[in-house]
Amino acid sequence: MERLTVLGSTGSIGVNTLDVVARHPGRFQVVALTAHRQIERLREQCRRFHPEMAVVADAEAAARLAEGLRADGLDTRVEHGPEALVAAAERADVDQVMAAIVGAAGLPPALAAVEAGKRVLLANKEALVLSGALFMEAARRSGALILPVDSEHSAIFQCLPVDERARPRTEHVRRIVLTASGGPFRDTPVETLATITPAQACAHPNWDMGRKISVDSATMMNKGLEVIEAHWLFGLPPERLEVVVHRQSIVHSLVDYRDGSMLAQLGNPDMRTPIAYALAWPERMESGAEPLDLVTCARLDFQAADAERFPCLALAYRALEAGGTATAVLNAANEEAVAAFLDERIGFLEIPRLIEDALDAVPVSEADCLEAVLTADAAARAHVRRRIEEEGAHA
Ligand code: NAD
Ligand code: MG
């Protein structure tokens, strides 16, 4: 049995992961599950998968969950807080860790899993955006395997030769092409974007995802974060990482080789495919995804990304080129701006404006230790919050 921790088990990726796991009885044993506030959903997952450990945000949530589990007759140990997340990730009896917490909060347990030499299934792209250099260096030191879960990176990984430690080789690659759906506003007149609501931004045409990544898809910051993620996973410089809009989300990304060959991975937009690939690598297993019918989908369209419509994409390239803690600033400013947008405290077009402002204002340093990264993260958050308050006061 392969022993598994799922960090963020109540989210979109977490639920899809457990769906795939449940299709393979006897193959995986779920050792630890973690959630932030969705206690009832976590309780249900505990009833189904009998983990040894469950982690929630705080003592109050832990008491509620423990009471529920006692009533269910389960002896799952309930813990809470950031240290307990790290403990769930680095447990000696765990082989694989699905890192599916959203945002910077997911970095410490994902990094702990890498440092403990686990096989890490990485959905939490923010971890690499914040501290890609530290993360990849930790994997080199510990021998951890990093298996990408993000659909684009899984596609690229599937199109590259990899060694037995899951390390991809790119010496014959000319460039990597990441596909982007364009999100819900790819055809919306640019003049009307100012009045977009959170509900409209979260209604993605092709994918059903958590709210933060849904807004990131609508601004295309998601693709910007993925360019940075690809830089760290595959070691290519920004000028060899391209983005193309592909509205059907069937081609999940492509690798362009120097001999003129281009390899792509295709499939229906269903995160269970890259999740199953990461769980089973180097083999494959049933995921529950519908097989792709080429005649039904019939068309595959590609077009350039519109820089005016999606200013966040250029901001991500700018941060990657600046290096050091600039990508941590980008990520933190984006998280704060997206949270404010979801709370209806700022408008949709304020998101890129606030991020640009943070990149202009927050000084960049070497990202050579976790402290430097977290300092930049905190400075960017404080800057964006201050700006929102000042502007709210003027409005
Ligand atoms: P989600 O919002 O649906 O779920 C997030 C999970 O993290 C939940 O279990 C939640 O309880 C937990 N969580 C949230 N804040 C936390 C905190 N402060 N401390 C501890 N736990 C916390 O998000 P999602 O869509 O599943 O995305 C998860 C990650 O995977 C993100 O980094 C996202 O970018 C990435 N990803 C998601 C998709 C997708 O299709 N949903 C695709 C590619 C990559
Ligand atoms: Mg993706």
Side-chain angles (χ1 to χ4, degrees):
M1 291 269 262
E2 290 166 59
R3 298 173 59 92
L4 177 69
T5 284
V6 183
L7 301 167
S9 64
T10 54
S12 161
I13 294 289
V15 167
N16 276 304
T17 301
L18 292 177
D19 179 283
V20 174
V21 163
R23 289 166 194 276
H24 301 275
R27 175 154 180 176
F28 299 97
Q29 183 177 342
V30 176
V31 176
L33 294 175
T34 87
H36 203 47
R37 306 210 182 278
Q38 284 183 283
I39 305 308
E40 275 313 307
R41 182 174 277 183
L42 182 58
R43 179 178 167 189
E44 241 172 74
Q45 292 178 339
C46 289
R47 277 203 295 266
R48 180 133 191 235
F49 294 96
H50 300 276
E52 286 163 29
M53 178 182 189
V55 181
V56 291
D58 52 39
E60 189 267 325
R64 259 197 307 134
L65 177 64
E67 190 186 61
L69 294 179
R70 254 196 316 277
D72 296 335
L74 290 176
D75 58 1
T76 301
R77 207 175 65 251
V78 180
E79 297 193 16
H80 65 87
E83 290 90 50
L85 289 177
V86 167
E90 64 187 14
R91 284 175 68 111
D93 59 356
V94 163
D95 311 307
Q96 304 210 40
V97 176
M98 167 58 80
I101 290 174
V102 62
L107 171 63
L111 192 56
V114 168
E115 282 167 348
K118 304 298 184 197
R119 175 173 164 132
V120 181
L121 286 45
L122 188 65
N124 178 230
K125 64 191 84 185
E126 294 91 345
L128 281 179
V129 174
L130 265 162
S131 64
L134 295 171
F135 207 86
M136 299 310 287
E137 179 50 32
R140 259 189 299 279
R141 268 202 312 269
S142 71
L145 268 61
I146 298 183
L147 294 155
V149 170
D150 212 345
S151 56
E152 296 75 5
H153 306 76
S154 174
I156 295 159
F157 184 76
Q158 293 184 52
C159 294
L160 288 171
V162 284
D163 70 11
E164 72 295 342
R165 304 296 305 161
R167 287 172 303 210
R169 283 178 32 211
T170 55
E171 69 268 30
H172 301 300
V173 172
R174 182 156 36 202
R175 60 187 182 134
I176 280 173
V177 182
L178 293 152
T179 54
S181 67
F185 310 135
R186 61 189 168 210
D187 304 317
T188 308
V190 178
E191 323 73 79
T192 63
L193 291 179
T195 57
I196 291 303
T197 65
Q200 288 170 312
C202 290
H204 197 281
N206 307 353
W207 300 93
D208 181 12
M209 309 180 286
R211 281 163 67 78
K212 189 263 176 181
I213 184 177
S214 295
V215 176
D216 287 347
S217 295
T219 61
M220 232 197 250
M221 181 54 92
N222 184 48
K223 213 51 53 181
L225 300 178
E226 290 180 356
V227 166
I228 300 168
E229 184 185 11
H231 168 73
W232 291 113
L233 287 173
F234 307 115
L236 260 56
E239 64 276 11
R240 288 165 64 200
L241 298 167
E242 287 180 20
V243 172
V244 61
V245 173
H246 164 51
R247 58 180 55 233
Q248 292 90 356
S249 298
I250 296 292
V251 175
H252 296 303
S253 279
L254 312 93
V255 177
D256 184 13
Y257 284 95
R258 61 159 72 125
D259 62 1
S261 293
M262 205 180 228
L263 300 191
Q265 183 257 353
L266 283 70
N268 280 315
D270 187 327
M271 287 308 292
R272 291 176 300 179
T273 299
I275 289 168
Y277 190 69
L279 281 167
W281 183 86
E283 292 173 13
R284 290 187 183 263
M285 66 186 191
E286 209 43 73
S287 72
E290 281 296 311
L292 176 63
D293 185 285
L294 286 171
V295 175
T296 306
C297 76
R299 285 184 60 149
L300 300 173
D301 294 298
F302 300 93
Q303 66 193 95
D306 177 345
E308 190 200 349
R309 180 182 295 275
F310 299 119
C312 283
L313 190 56
L315 292 174
Y317 275 100
R318 171 183 160 185
L320 181 56
E321 271 150 21
T325 54
T327 56
V329 170
L330 175 92
N331 181 67
N334 180 56
E335 283 188 30
E336 289 296 322
V338 169
F341 169 70
L342 285 170
D343 277 358
E344 302 187 49
R345 285 183 281 128
I346 63 168
F348 186 70
L349 295 180
E350 301 306 299
I351 299 173
R353 213 181 44 70
L354 286 163
I355 298 165
E356 182 168 21
D357 191 61
L359 285 174
D360 289 342
V362 180
V364 170
S365 67
E366 289 287 321
D368 50 4
C369 61
L370 198 54
E371 204 198 335
V373 167
L374 296 179
T375 303
D377 172 280
R381 285 176 200 275
H383 180 82
V384 171
R385 283 187 199 147
R386 207 164 43 239
R387 289 306 250 173
I388 293 173
E389 259 173 46
E390 284 167 9
E391 287 165 18
H394 295 156

